[in-house]
Amino acid sequence: MLSHPILTQLARMHPEWAAAIGTLLSHPGRGASHRAGPEDDGALAPARLPRRASLTPSEQKACFDQASAAARTVRQAPVIALAERNDGMTSSAIRDLLKVISQLGVISLAGGLPAPEGFPIDALLAACERVLRSPDARTALQYSPSEGLPALRRWVAESLPWPVHEDQVLITTGSQQALDLVAKALIDKGSVVLVGSPSYLGAQQVFTTMQAKMVSVACDADGMLPEDLAAKAAGARFLYLQPNYENPTGTCMSAERREAIGQVAARLGLVILEDNPYGDLWYRQPPPAPLAAKLPENTIYTGSFSKILAPGMRLGYLVAPMKLYQTLVKFKQAADLHSASFNQHVVLEVLRDGFLDRHLPAIRELYQRKRNAMLAALDRHMRGLGASWNRPSGGMFIWLRLPEGLSATALLPRAVEKGVAYVPGTPFFAGDADERALRLSYVTATEAQIDAGIALLAKVVQEALEALPTEAR
């Protein structure tokens, strides 16, 4: 019986995880020892009431009166009518799964989080002190313009590899908010939005909130296929893509493919939403120029400080054509007035003296070392099992396909039981999903954990292959 409150909630939101959750609860030391508390769902963990015979008549009457009053309160509770847009909304299966896994002591190769050892704590601490001791300290703690701190917008504009005016830059509460603002501005109910197959789940959640119809565009190792894009682009509001080390596959779109995608977009007048949270995480050489550099009037470009400084600062930005900019500012005003003033001042203070020129090489070296550790572990433990995987040139993720006959979702409970977790690939597909695909993240695990986790995963795959019918092997 499911009795852990978080696991119970997760199983109800995502039936596809129910088998994995059952495994977690039955595994010694991983959730089965939880005792029902007041926060548990009564339908799954009945309240432990005293037997009637143990109560005096006056106590029985008091219990009855209390229960009757509670029943009247329930009957009189107002009906809360939800908006129609709730019908298509779901909680993120990945974030919900990660919340559970983090409490259960398994090696997690699942989370898409930056490595905490890369957070520049000393630099942020010093910047906080400088901001609070400066003559502008009270300004940093006050409300600020919806567009963002002018000096920070100027820094963003000057850091980009094509001519951008600071009046095109809007500071957002993480790049996720940038996606949300664009969706609100451009999507009506039933609007077609083009996404890769697979594509970033967080973007798909945003578009679903606005009741978009998402259409998948086929991809290969170089990125989105221009011929399939051209065939599906008619009537689309915009194309969403992450050309640099995308989540979930780690793919970096080639320069030739960017040129071809740009030509299709220019010919058809297609708007591009170019999301670039990972572009600075290259290892040996930077990625090709953004699509926005050649199609600035067709493209809304987003970036983030989460992957290069710290996600807890919740700061990102978008760059939009002037004809759209003021519309996005209005939606920003309605959403939260402005992003945190203090955080903007602190980030600007960190950036002033060329800090990123010193900081980013260290992050790249750290992530490349961990990527190398995972690739070496895959070569060592998974070679010969029929699985395949890519070798990303930057970012945080490796995309793996299991041998034929296996399902990443079905295999997850066995992997968790062995002590390792990953993210099945199916949630990243807006259309037909690849059941064999899964995402591995290497940046938050140690090199020892990476090797141990891949060894456990290989054992799970080996056992699953041995369990297949002879004709399916």
Side-chain angles (χ1 to χ4, degrees), residues 129-319:
E129 184 169 1
R130 289 197 298 272
V131 168
L132 291 174
R133 293 188 182 279
S134 76
D136 292 331
R138 287 177 172 79
T139 301
L141 299 173
Q142 183 59 277
Y143 288 113
S144 59
S146 297
E147 295 85 348
L149 194 64
L152 184 57
R153 294 163 59 205
R154 191 176 310 118
W155 183 93
V156 170
E158 292 173 353
S159 71
L160 296 172
W162 76 96
V164 173
H165 193 277
E166 64 188 80
D167 288 343
Q168 295 177 260
V169 178
L170 176 61
I171 302 299
T172 58
T173 305
S175 60
Q176 186 74 12
Q177 186 186 55
L179 304 182
D180 183 70
L181 297 178
V182 173
K184 288 174 178 175
L186 299 185
I187 296 175
D188 291 316
K189 182 179 180 181
S191 296
V192 172
V193 174
L194 303 170
V195 298
S197 182
S199 187
Y200 172 49
L201 178 60
Q204 295 184 53
Q205 278 189 290
V206 170
F207 306 151
T208 299
T209 300
M210 300 310 299
Q211 300 175 286
K213 176 185 177 183
M214 282 179 287
V215 174
S216 294
V217 181
C219 301
D220 65 11
D222 283 329
M224 188 171 286
L225 298 178
E227 57 272 22
D228 198 43
L229 173 63
K232 296 175 177 177
R237 288 295 173 89
F238 61 86
L239 163 66
Y240 170 80
L241 46 74
Q242 279 186 355
N244 296 328
Y245 322 118
E246 74 167 343
N247 181 358
T249 66
T251 299
C252 184
M253 187 180 289
S254 67
E256 295 76 15
R257 189 62 56 83
R258 293 175 200 235
E259 180 69 24
I261 293 294
Q263 289 176 0
V264 172
R267 185 174 75 249
L268 300 178
L270 180 63
V271 174
I272 298 172
L273 175 52
E274 184 174 10
D275 188 17
N276 186 30
Y278 304 102
D280 286 311
L281 302 181
W282 50 269
Y283 298 153
R284 293 193 175 183
Q285 61 182 18
L291 282 84
K294 288 196 173 182
L295 295 170
E297 292 303 312
N298 283 57
T299 307
I300 306 160
Y301 179 90
T302 76
S304 175
F305 294 105
S306 293
K307 308 302 185 295
I308 60 176
L309 291 178
M313 302 299 289
R314 302 311 303 134
L315 284 181
Y317 57 88
L318 64 80
V319 178

Side-chain angles (χ1 to χ4, degrees), residues 262-404:
Q263 289 176 0
V264 172
R267 185 174 75 249
L268 300 178
L270 180 63
V271 174
I272 298 172
L273 175 52
E274 184 174 10
D275 188 17
N276 186 30
Y278 304 102
D280 286 311
L281 302 181
W282 50 269
Y283 298 153
R284 293 193 175 183
Q285 61 182 18
L291 282 84
K294 288 196 173 182
L295 295 170
E297 292 303 312
N298 283 57
T299 307
I300 306 160
Y301 179 90
T302 76
S304 175
F305 294 105
S306 293
K307 308 302 185 295
I308 60 176
L309 291 178
M313 302 299 289
R314 302 311 303 134
L315 284 181
Y317 57 88
L318 64 80
V319 178
M322 291 303 300
K323 59 190 175 185
L324 180 60
Y325 184 82
Q326 285 304 320
T327 298
L328 295 170
V329 171
K330 291 174 185 176
F331 280 106
K332 170 67 176 176
Q333 291 170 349
D336 62 358
L337 299 183
H338 61 83
S339 298
S341 306
F342 181 72
N343 292 7
Q344 293 185 61
H345 280 268
V346 170
V347 166
L348 178 62
E349 190 64 33
V350 169
L351 298 172
R352 281 189 191 280
D353 65 347
F355 172 77
L356 288 183
D357 293 335
R358 303 186 300 276
H359 177 64
L360 283 175
I363 298 299
R364 293 172 187 139
E365 193 279 330
L366 172 67
Y367 285 14
Q368 183 177 15
R369 189 171 68 245
K370 294 192 176 193
R371 181 212 59 175
N372 291 345
M374 181 167 282
L375 290 174
L378 288 167
D379 287 336
R380 185 161 47 250
H381 301 297
M382 295 284 281
R383 189 65 63 188
L385 294 179
S388 61
W389 54 89
N390 61 351
R391 306 179 78 86
S393 58
M396 299 164 53
F397 308 110
I398 288 174
W399 191 241
L400 182 144
R401 292 193 80 223
L402 294 169
E404 189 173 352

Side-chain angles (χ1 to χ4, degrees), residues 63-73 75:
C63 285
F64 178 84
D65 291 342
Q66 187 176 13
S68 297
R72 286 194 299 273
T73 300
R75 284 197 299 271

